[in-house]
Amino acid sequence: MKKTVLSGIRPTGNLHLGNYFGAVRSFVKMQHDYNCFFFIADIHSLTTHPTPENLQAGVKQVLAEYLACGIDPDVATIYIQSDVPEVTELYTYLNMNAYLGELERTTSFKDKARQQPDNVNAGLLTYPVLMAADIIIHKANFVPVGKDQEQNLEMARKFAKRFNHMYNHRVFPMPKPYTFDGKDMVKVPGLDGSGKMGKSEGNGIYLYEDPADIRKKVMRAVTDSGPTQPNQKKPEPIENLFTLMKIVSSPDVVAFFDEQYNNCAIRYGDMKKQLAEDIISFTSPIRERILEIRDNDAYLAKVASEGAERARVSARKTLDEVRKVMGIKRLF
Ligand code: ADP
Ligand code: TRP
């Protein structure tokens, strides 16, 4: 039997290169060999209080972008989280076994609490519990996500294991991270000197972005005054430029600039021009497909409702089992 894969993205803006190379390219690669569920985590995005208009626009955009990236709704199940209420029921049950201390210690909670000190809501605290419910409701074996989600995935395993142990039934398998090349989980860097590329970091290069804007962003990337000694270790902003180049450019292009760096002959301007063109060659066909699909409301609605139907069948099956082992299902 095929193993199950699940992953999701919050609809808080357009997909960027971090989302694509951290997660979405794995979705596209895995869809034919696994039983795949890809969803839009609209309930998760409520922690930051989007307006109803922004939420709707975000959901539609991410749906169109998933499809434009090559996820095929005939083979993978694509759905919107809020269309599957079984998820929030499981979330309620899992909350009874999630402890304040462990939730407060989660890095993503601490970061968010720092970023939005006036809105440290309970949804933010229990974010990893909802994410665990998303994953285990379909008994997922693999979860393709970027490095930033490693801890949340660890929490999902912890909650699944705790449930199995408490009720003495092996209801849930342990969900493992899936990496594209079988190596480390990916972290796509931003080009602003340090850290990851992200929507909240404000340093995203988007799949939907206009080529002229991509060129501008890449040309503004932080660099330094250049190496002064042969084979010098690269400082973080330069390493980041190379990391991104390794992702989008061919190996000989990377080798060329690497050699230039090691000989202290590198011209960052030339490297950035090349990087911008390689990003644009990658994003342009996706951008065209997004433009084709995103106004086709009838098609998007059909994909979403068929996906919801399939996801609910799978979720219902697990929830029936969960209710039974918990003693919630009426047996008399
Ligand atoms: P963002 O971080 O832009 O707000 P999300 O948190 O919704 O995006 O992330 C959606 C998916 O994209 C997750 O699997 C996450 O790990 C992945 N992802 C986001 N940014 C990066 C990045 N810079 N590198 C690798 N993966 C990333
Ligand atoms: N927390 C993920 C993020 O911010 C999104 C997400 C929600 C997710 N539920 C999930 C990812 C389940 C994988 C599996 O990126």
Side-chain angles (χ1 to χ4, degrees):
M1 216 176 73
K2 281 185 181 175
K3 296 262 189 199
T4 298
V5 173
L6 172 134
S7 198
I9 295 188
R10 291 171 302 136
T12 47
N14 299 76
L15 298 187
H16 53 75
L17 295 177
N19 299 135
Y20 186 84
F21 289 103
V24 179
R25 73 174 161 165
S26 297
F27 302 0
V28 177
K29 179 179 165 188
M30 301 176 94
Q31 59 185 345
H32 296 286
D33 302 320
Y34 295 85
N35 178 29
C36 289
F37 293 91
F38 301 124
F39 74 100
I40 298 170
D42 57 343
I43 304 180
H44 276 284
S45 71
L46 296 174
T47 56
T48 53
H49 299 172
T51 63
E53 294 74 23
N54 284 344
L55 184 62
Q56 274 300 306
V59 168
K60 186 174 163 191
Q61 184 72 26
V62 173
L63 181 58
E65 295 194 358
Y66 267 171
L67 296 165
C69 287
I71 304 179
D72 178 353
D74 291 331
V75 290
T77 298
I78 306 176
Y79 64 98
I80 299 162
Q81 186 183 31
S82 59
D83 279 340
V84 183
E86 289 78 6
V87 172
T88 43
E89 184 176 332
L90 182 58
Y91 162 65
T92 306
Y93 302 150
L94 295 179
N95 267 326
M96 309 305 167
N97 280 316
Y99 295 96
L100 182 60
E102 63 188 346
L103 295 173
E104 276 176 339
R105 281 193 299 276
T106 316
T107 320
S108 53
F109 175 70
K110 288 194 282 194
D111 287 350
K112 279 279 181 285
R114 215 172 302 125
Q115 279 165 18
Q116 48 182 73
D118 299 328
N119 180 22
V120 186
N121 58 66
L124 218 47
L125 184 70
T126 58
Y127 186 106
V129 187
L130 181 56
M131 180 158 159
D134 291 325
I135 297 170
I136 69 179
I137 194 96
H138 299 298
K139 302 195 178 192
N141 305 100
F142 295 108
V143 186
V145 282
K147 177 90 182 146
D148 58 304
Q149 295 300 311
E150 194 171 20
Q151 193 182 26
N152 281 339
L153 197 50
E154 226 170 81
M155 305 273 289
R157 280 195 293 277
K158 191 189 271 187
F159 298 135
K161 196 167 167 187
R162 210 175 269 170
F163 185 96
N164 288 350
H165 186 72
M166 176 149 185
Y167 295 103
N168 202 19
H169 271 82
R170 207 177 173 288
V171 180
F172 301 116
M174 293 303 116
K176 296 186 194 67
Y178 172 91
T179 60
F180 189 75
D181 55 6
K183 295 188 193 143
D184 294 338
M185 293 175 88
V186 175
K187 176 182 151 189
V188 178
L191 290 180
D192 44 1
S194 68
K196 73 158 195 144
M197 182 181 290
K199 274 163 273 181
S200 19
E201 285 73 10
N203 60 4
I205 298 177
Y206 296 93
L207 300 177
Y208 179 62
E209 197 149 348
D210 184 70
D213 292 336
I214 294 182
R215 281 190 196 101
K216 260 189 239 152
K217 281 187 180 173
V218 176
M219 294 315 285
R220 277 203 308 260
V222 174
T223 51
D224 59 12
S225 51
T228 50
Q229 286 170 28
N231 303 315
Q232 194 176 315
K233 184 175 166 3
K234 299 182 182 89
E236 195 179 352
I238 307 304
E239 189 62 56
N240 287 350
L241 213 53
F242 273 93
T243 302
L244 203 55
M245 190 169 238
K246 278 183 203 144
I247 292 173
V248 291
S249 305
S250 66
D252 51 313
V253 167
V254 180
F256 171 79
F257 286 104
D258 206 35
E259 198 187 314
Q260 297 268 302
Y261 183 88
N262 287 332
N263 296 336
C264 306
I266 191 149
R267 289 158 58 144
Y268 290 131
D270 291 349
M271 182 177 178
K272 289 177 181 178
K273 264 189 210 143
Q274 177 75 45
L275 178 61
E277 293 318 309
D278 289 342
I279 292 176
I280 292 165
S281 320
F282 169 76
T283 54
S284 292
I286 299 180
R287 181 170 199 263
E288 275 163 33
R289 284 198 298 274
I290 297 172
L291 287 167
E292 267 167 44
I293 302 169
R294 67 164 191 180
D295 293 322
N296 192 341
D297 281 4
Y299 175 60
L300 295 174
K302 180 170 173 281
V303 169
S305 57
E306 287 178 3
E309 219 169 281
R310 297 205 309 252
R312 286 199 76 178
V313 170
S314 156
R316 192 69 252 164
K317 204 165 150 225
T318 307
L319 203 54
D320 282 346
E321 200 182 335
V322 164
R323 282 170 152 245
K324 194 169 162 195
V325 302
M326 290 181 78
I328 287 181
K329 191 172 181 171
R330 191 162 27 81
L331 297 171
F332 52 88

